[in-house]
Amino acid sequence: MRRRLKRSIRNNYFIPSSKTFKQVYSDQGRYTMYALIICAIIGMAMSRLLQPVIPKLNPTIAKSSVSDVANLIAFGFCAILLVILLLNMKSIMKVIMSANERRRLKAFNEKRKSNRTND
């Protein structure tokens, strides 16, 4: 391990020994990535839409701080949305589970039932 670490530092890159990349390819990893991307897109669109609306709601605000306020509001909304999506992951995953996963789960349950009857 130490030799591999020294070799990777010598080549100016570090290769972690964790299984992070495999976790992204699981259903939960894909769901998390999709939730992050969707929240980022919503945040960008929301900040653009709020910039002309904020001066109409509060005319005393300085024009230089309108974009900052719009970004803060969009960030707060998207952070709350992301937390809600990640907390409800199990219930949402039941709805969007792939057909392949459903087949694999059905085959697994059938094997399990057949193994119980043989015992």
Side-chain angles (χ1 to χ4, degrees), residues 45-74:
M46 192 173 175
S47 69
R48 293 288 181 176
L49 293 174
L50 284 175
Q51 285 180 4
V53 173
I54 289 175
K56 293 177 184 173
L57 295 175
N58 188 3
T60 61
I61 196 165
K63 294 199 182 243
S64 62
S65 64
V66 170
S67 64
D68 294 335
V69 172
N71 287 337
L72 284 173
I73 292 170

Side-chain angles (χ1 to χ4, degrees), residues 78-94:
C78 289
I80 292 169
L81 179 65
L82 183 63
V83 168
I84 290 170
L85 285 174
L86 293 179
L87 288 176
N88 290 333
M89 183 187 305
K90 188 180 272 186
S91 60
I92 295 172
M93 284 293 290
K94 287 180 186 175

Side-chain angles (χ1 to χ4, degrees), residues 7-115:
R7 185 177 35 197
S8 65
I9 291 173
R10 206 173 349 150
N11 293 335
N12 296 328
Y13 61 89
F14 178 72
I15 301 171
S17 60
S18 67
K19 298 177 182 178
T20 306
F21 295 115
K22 290 182 182 179
Q23 292 171 358
V24 174
Y25 292 111
S26 67
D27 285 338
Q28 291 88 359
R30 271 186 259 135
Y31 175 81
T32 305
M33 287 299 295
Y34 292 150
L36 281 170
I37 291 170
I38 288 170
C39 285
I41 292 170
I42 289 172
M44 287 187 295
M46 192 173 175
S47 69
R48 293 288 181 176
L49 293 174
L50 284 175
Q51 285 180 4
V53 173
I54 289 175
K56 293 177 184 173
L57 295 175
N58 188 3
T60 61
I61 196 165
K63 294 199 182 243
S64 62
S65 64
V66 170
S67 64
D68 294 335
V69 172
N71 287 337
L72 284 173
I73 292 170
F75 178 75
F77 178 78
C78 289
I80 292 169
L81 179 65
L82 183 63
V83 168
I84 290 170
L85 285 174
L86 293 179
L87 288 176
N88 290 333
M89 183 187 305
K90 188 180 272 186
S91 60
I92 295 172
M93 284 293 290
K94 287 180 186 175
V95 175
I96 62 170
M97 188 172 19
S98 66
N100 186 30
E101 290 294 319
R102 286 189 186 134
R103 263 186 277 128
R104 287 177 53 199
L105 185 62
K106 185 177 178 182
F108 174 76
N109 287 334
E110 287 174 358
K111 279 184 185 179
R112 212 167 142 208
K113 286 179 184 177
S114 66
N115 287 340

